[in-house]
Amino acid sequence: MNPDSIIYRAAVWIIPLVIAIVFHEVAHGLVARALGDPTAAERKRLSLNPLRHVDPVGTVILPLILAVTKMPVFGWAKPVPVNYARLRNPRSGMVLVALAGPGMNLLLALVGAVLIGLLFLITGEAELGGAGAFAAENLFNFVAVNVFLALFNLLPVPPFDGGHVVEGLLPPALAARWASLAKFGFPLLFILLLVVPTIWPDANIVERLVLPPAQAVSDWYFAIAAMIAG
């Protein structure tokens, strides 16, 4: 496959992204079940089958556009259903369920870093080509995507995971008002993340708030990979 082709460029980003968001959503459901809410299990959303989680726009179309235009790649899946009222302790449970997704992404990034290290340890100084180069690029992107998704989802904006963390920490009256903002979350984020930067580049939230810490954390994971590779 030609590394300069659109299909190749899209594949090395969309494959890591789909894995990252599927595990992210399943992690929410698993922690919710452990804390008393079996809703995700009842609706068969604890599966690792991507077809159960794929959102056509958030998982395929938007990431494809971002990959082809060489912008930061992110996306979303269909949210795993969680009924916070069924949790044994709804307020603290909400926080733990919300943190499960980003936590899973950071764990996956570590797995990716270890696999990068092992790949280069096995191949030594030989230049990777063909399938090896494709695997390496997927793994590097896998680390970057998982770190980015973890930090991006921790933005304290409903309905992101960070918004649920804030909701779980606020007093009940304020939490209810905060939760009511969720219906405006995605339209607002679309405007802030895609429209505003086009008009006013200095107001790019991703470049200013998410990318710098994501790059720093990714570099830490790549340092682990380098240690393993020797």
Side-chain angles (χ1 to χ4, degrees), residues 20-72:
I21 62 178
V22 166
F23 275 80
H24 177 107
E25 292 300 333
V26 170
H28 286 312
L30 288 174
V31 171
R33 184 176 65 177
L35 297 178
D37 173 30
T39 304
E42 291 170 352
R43 299 187 187 179
K44 304 186 185 304
R45 289 297 306 281
L46 297 185
S47 168
L48 294 179
N49 179 357
L51 297 179
R52 293 188 180 274
H53 305 280
V54 165
D55 177 284
V57 174
T59 313
V60 180
I61 296 175
L62 177 62
L64 178 60
I65 293 172
L66 294 174
V68 170
T69 56
K70 299 183 178 180
M71 294 177 66

Side-chain angles (χ1 to χ4, degrees), residues 61-153:
I61 296 175
L62 177 62
L64 178 60
I65 293 172
L66 294 174
V68 170
T69 56
K70 299 183 178 180
M71 294 177 66
V73 175
F74 64 91
W76 59 84
K78 292 186 292 186
V80 163
V82 177
N83 185 343
Y84 295 109
R86 299 178 75 179
L87 298 173
R88 287 188 288 273
N89 189 326
R91 288 178 59 75
S92 64
M94 177 185 297
V95 173
L96 293 174
V97 170
L99 291 175
M104 173 60 76
N105 289 133
L106 293 176
L107 178 60
L108 289 175
L110 178 59
V111 172
V114 171
L115 291 176
I116 291 170
L118 292 175
L119 177 62
F120 282 92
L121 179 65
I122 293 170
T123 58
E125 297 298 321
E127 182 177 347
L128 292 174
F134 182 74
E137 194 158 359
N138 267 278
L139 287 171
F140 276 102
N141 290 342
F142 186 68
V143 172
V145 163
N146 274 286
V147 170
F148 183 87
L149 281 181
L151 300 185
F152 185 70
N153 275 284

